[in-house]
Amino acid sequence: MQVAVLGAGQVGRAVGLGWRKAGHAVVFGVPDPSDAKHADLGTGMVRAVPDAVRDAEVIALATPWAATEAALRAAGDLRGRIVIDCTNPLAFAPGQGLHLSLGFETSGAERVAGWAAGARVYKALNQTGAEGMAEAAAFPQRPVMFVAGDDPEGKQVVVRLVADLGFEALDGGPLVNARLLEPLAMVWIDQALKRGQGRDFALAITRKPAGKDVP
Ligand SMILES: NC(=O)c1ccc[n+]([C@@H]2O[C@H](COP(=O)([O-])OP(=O)(O)OC[C@H]3O[C@@H](n4cnc5c(N)ncnc54)[C@H](OP(=O)(O)O)[C@@H]3O)[C@@H](O)[C@H]2O)c1
């Protein structure tokens, strides 16, 4: 597929390079494509946002929350296009530390859907660390990644793209369920940064084999 990844930082690189490895045509959209820090991503592969999204079937948002609205405005009309929102609406405040700036009554993904009018928006690839996204297949058990969004046809595409990165990609329900998936990201962040898990763990689904009931 033709994929534009907006942002070429930790998450943008993890998912963009992973999709490239899986055979997708990936370009990155960033504020300054001429910045030397992008040189390793390939000549012509890092573009201004409007150029990056021009031919993209799928657009992945991997921008800081505070820059997400501006990135979407630069992208222009995304009507009908598939947008994967990998962001988390994080804010930092003294005494409160890193926290979600939205929740319960809306979500970052629903804001994204408002900014990207008419696009088919999915929340995914926000629930674990960038290191895990870069190497999801390296875990002994496939890490889980939920995909929330409303249009079933587009969801199949997103589920496939998430699975291409090595995740167990599961239907996470409608876009409104981003209100659950953004706090789930905070569970990962809290465990990684405050409870000593470090950044190399991921959440996985485990199932009891049939007939193995506790006596
Ligand atoms: N890091 C993680 O483990 C992780 C995991 C899950 C979700 N997330 C979420 O994913 C998002 C990205 O996180 P990150 O850690 O990858 O951040 P990051 O490393 O700081 O990268 C952000 C990227 O976005 C680019 N950018 C900034 N403004 C932009 C704009 N207007 N248009 C296009 N690109 C723009 C930046 O370019 P410049 O550097 O040139 O400004 C940079 O390439 C955040 O919302 C974060 O909460 C992060």
Side-chain angles (χ1 to χ4, degrees):
M1 301 206 78
Q2 298 269 2
V3 183
V5 179
L6 303 189
Q10 294 182 71
V11 171
R13 280 171 173 262
V15 300
L17 296 178
W19 283 327
R20 242 187 218 173
K21 214 160 144 188
H24 299 290
V26 177
V27 295
F28 295 88
V30 297
D32 179 8
S34 66
D35 192 313
K37 69 186 173 189
H38 305 305
D40 61 311
L41 293 173
T43 312
M45 296 297 111
V46 183
R47 304 179 184 169
V49 170
D51 292 342
V53 301
R54 188 159 296 129
D55 299 322
E57 300 164 273
V58 174
I59 294 127
L61 286 175
T63 46
W65 177 244
T68 299
E69 183 177 5
L72 285 167
R73 284 199 194 294
D77 187 356
L78 297 180
R79 224 166 287 271
R81 255 118 35 110
I82 292 173
V83 172
I84 306 176
D85 174 23
C86 317
T87 71
N88 280 308
L90 297 180
F92 186 87
Q96 202 179 357
L98 206 53
H99 63 278
L100 286 175
S101 62
L102 294 173
F104 304 110
E105 289 171 358
T106 188
S107 61
E110 289 163 274
R111 287 281 162 90
V112 163
W115 294 327
R120 292 179 283 169
V121 175
Y122 299 87
K123 189 88 209 180
L125 297 170
N126 69 308
Q127 301 144 47
T128 197
E131 297 86 343
M133 294 185 213
E135 286 192 301
F139 289 89
Q141 196 178 338
R142 274 193 305 160
V144 68
M145 183 61 65
F146 296 102
V147 177
D150 295 331
D151 173 65
E153 194 191 320
K155 189 180 281 181
Q156 279 181 19
V157 172
V158 178
V159 162
R160 235 178 359 255
L161 281 169
V162 171
D164 283 348
L165 295 174
F167 286 99
E168 178 168 13
L170 295 182
D171 181 0
L175 191 65
V176 71
N177 279 8
R179 297 176 196 185
L180 308 177
L181 299 183
E182 290 166 8
L184 182 57
M186 282 311 294
V187 173
W188 187 92
I189 292 169
D190 181 76
Q191 287 291 319
L193 304 185
K194 294 186 183 165
R195 316 283 156 217
Q197 292 290 348
R199 298 188 58 95
D200 59 356
F201 80 99
L203 304 177
I205 301 283
T206 179
R207 294 183 178 86
K208 183 167 65 63
K212 289 268 180 194
D213 292 334
V214 177

